[in-house]
Structures are given as C-alpha cells and as structure tokens.
Amino acid sequence: MTVREINLKYDMPPSEVAVRRMEIELSAARHTRQKLFKFIHGYGSSGTGGKIRGAVRRALSARQGVAWVLPGESFGPFSAEARDAAQRWPALRQDRDWGRENDGVTVVVLR
C-alpha cells in the first residue's frame, strides 16, 4: 500500500477549508481502504507554525479511527512511534519525507 499525499495548502485556503478537505479524504478512505496519508499543510510564514498545521493536527487528535498521527518533524527512524508504524506499514519508509524532519507535513495511519 502506498502513502496517499494530499496537498491541503495548494491554494492557501483558510484553515477551516483545509481541515474540511482533510476530513473528506479520510471519510472517503473508508470506501477505498486507503490507510496511509501524508497531508501537506506547510509550516507557516511566521516561523512559529501555521494555522493550517495547527488546525489539522488538532482535528486529527480528536478523530476516531486513527491509529497513528506522525508529525513530519518526527516522521523517521529516530521516533519509536514512526518506527512502529513503519514496521507494520513498510511503505512509510519509502516516502520521500521519511527522516527529513519536515514540519510542513503530517502522516496519518488509519486503523
């Protein structure tokens, strides 16, 4: 299974729109049996973390059916949680952001 990459920030939407896009993708996953997602939300131009990033991560923390939420900054071999996820889903190690400490993405594994 591959990691489905979803760019939530491509047109710089308000955070509410970006979260809605994410929810639509995750809801559709029930029908397609997709389990691995990488949401591109950016880090924000302020240098302190963007609104989309924060809103996406808050929404994911409250969502049922999520096995792992792996922030891009700890998506790699130095995170025990990421290693555990990659052991179950080896495709995670093949993602171009594995080990790059990319604050602008969040990887999600559904149950």
Side-chain angles (χ1 to χ4, degrees), residues 8 10-11 13-24 52:
L8 299 174
Y10 69 90
D11 61 347
S15 58
E16 300 81 20
V17 172
V19 168
R20 181 70 185 129
R21 288 176 182 167
M22 179 193 69
E23 292 292 346
I24 290 168
I52 294 174

Side-chain angles (χ1 to χ4, degrees), residues 65-95:
V66 174
W68 283 291
V69 175
L70 305 166
E73 55 270 25
S74 58
F75 176 58
F78 300 111
S79 162
E81 190 174 34
R83 285 192 313 270
D84 290 346
Q87 187 169 1
R88 170 142 185 187
W89 303 102
L92 293 172
R93 280 194 189 95
Q94 303 306 312
D95 187 85

Side-chain angles (χ1 to χ4, degrees), residues 1-6 25-39 65 89 91-92 108-111:
M1 177 168 291
T2 61
V3 180
R4 181 166 162 79
E5 185 174 291
I6 310 295
E25 290 290 338
L26 293 175
S27 293
R30 202 173 55 230
H31 303 293
T32 63
R33 298 182 187 233
Q34 179 69 34
K35 299 281 187 198
L36 310 174
F37 291 87
K38 179 172 67 174
F39 292 105
W89 303 102
L92 293 172
V108 176
V109 179
L110 300 180
R111 295 190 199 285

